[in-house]
Amino acid sequence: MRDRLIAEPLTRDHKLNLPDEKDRIEKHGRIVFDGHCHRVATKHSMTPGLNMSRSLGDVLAHSSCGVSDVPDVVERTLTFQDRALLLCSDGIWEVMTPQESANLVQDFGPWRAMEAAKKLADEAMQRWLNGTHGKTTDDVTVVLVWLRRCPGSPTSSQGETCSTDIGPLDSTDSSFGEPMPTMGSLSCTKTDIAASDSSEST
């Protein structure tokens, strides 16, 4: 029986209620509640409405609201016990815990990385729909990297990087988009990578 994956968060979500993030935002802009979540706004408007304290792009949020583009950097020395890495947008972590995500992908194995990434994205999308009575979803992106092969997995000298675009749903859109490759192949002798993406900005 394969060992079960134990999830270990490596980063923190840049939420507006973190004391250091909140202090920086309120020195330049303000934080407002729109009935669903807290968002960043300028001193005299409800825009830009970003629901996180750090981002790339978002010029108004950076210039007038104190949103930062400086990342938190974490260094970790990999060991033999490190099996996989999940890089996901907040559309995953708002509705699933790290352990739930690990439990979902662990039984697919490195040779089914694309299938596992899509399964995780689909599960998150369904939870969004269930929680909003079918009205909306957040953008959902999953990148799954297997750091080493499990015993008994098919051998390959080249990993592949794949992406599937799952059309986001809102109150006026009731269908999923067609799969759309957005990344090419990547030569990596001992790493299997798969990505599944749903691109709707919030």
Side-chain angles (χ1 to χ4, degrees), residues 4-196:
R4 310 304 286 175
L5 295 179
I6 299 176
E8 180 180 344
L10 299 178
T11 61
R12 64 172 186 163
D13 294 337
H14 292 130
K15 299 290 188 181
L16 300 177
N17 60 352
L18 294 174
D20 55 332
E21 302 294 292
K22 181 179 179 181
D23 287 347
R24 187 184 68 251
I25 296 297
E26 291 184 337
K27 285 179 181 178
H28 300 86
R30 62 193 182 113
I31 298 172
V32 299
F33 185 69
D34 65 359
H36 175 64
C37 65
H38 289 87
R39 296 183 180 275
V40 172
T42 66
K43 292 289 188 181
H44 306 292
S45 77
M46 294 292 288
T47 59
L50 195 67
N51 67 345
M52 59 193 69
S53 60
R54 302 195 192 194
S55 72
L56 297 176
D58 300 299
V59 175
L60 179 61
H62 289 152
S63 63
S64 302
C65 304
V67 171
S68 173
D69 60 359
V70 179
D72 285 336
V73 178
V74 177
E75 293 186 7
R76 177 187 177 92
T77 300
L78 297 179
T79 71
F80 186 76
Q81 291 182 316
D82 293 312
R83 301 290 185 87
L85 177 67
L86 270 173
L87 306 174
C88 303
S89 65
D90 63 330
I92 294 288
W93 307 128
E94 290 286 346
V95 294
M96 300 186 70
T97 67
Q99 190 59 55
E100 285 178 316
S101 301
N103 291 345
L104 192 148
V105 304
Q106 66 187 355
D107 291 329
F108 286 86
W111 59 97
R112 297 168 63 196
M114 185 65 231
E115 189 178 350
K118 188 176 187 305
K119 177 69 173 179
L120 180 55
D122 287 345
E123 174 64 22
M125 293 279 283
Q126 190 58 54
R127 293 191 184 194
W128 274 100
L129 292 173
N130 292 343
T132 62
H133 305 290
K135 293 180 179 180
T136 189
T137 68
D138 197 1
D139 55 313
V140 172
T141 301
V142 177
V143 177
L144 170 61
V145 182
W146 287 97
L147 302 174
R148 67 184 183 86
R149 297 187 183 280
C150 301
S153 66
T155 58
S156 172
S157 61
Q158 185 180 45
E160 290 186 350
T161 301
C162 308
S163 179
T164 300
D165 180 61
I166 305 173
L169 302 183
D170 58 28
S171 58
T172 61
D173 184 356
S174 60
S175 61
F176 287 106
E178 292 298 321
M180 180 177 64
T182 58
M183 303 172 69
S185 63
L186 172 69
S187 175
C188 47
T189 57
K190 291 190 177 181
T191 304
D192 297 272
I193 306 175
S196 190

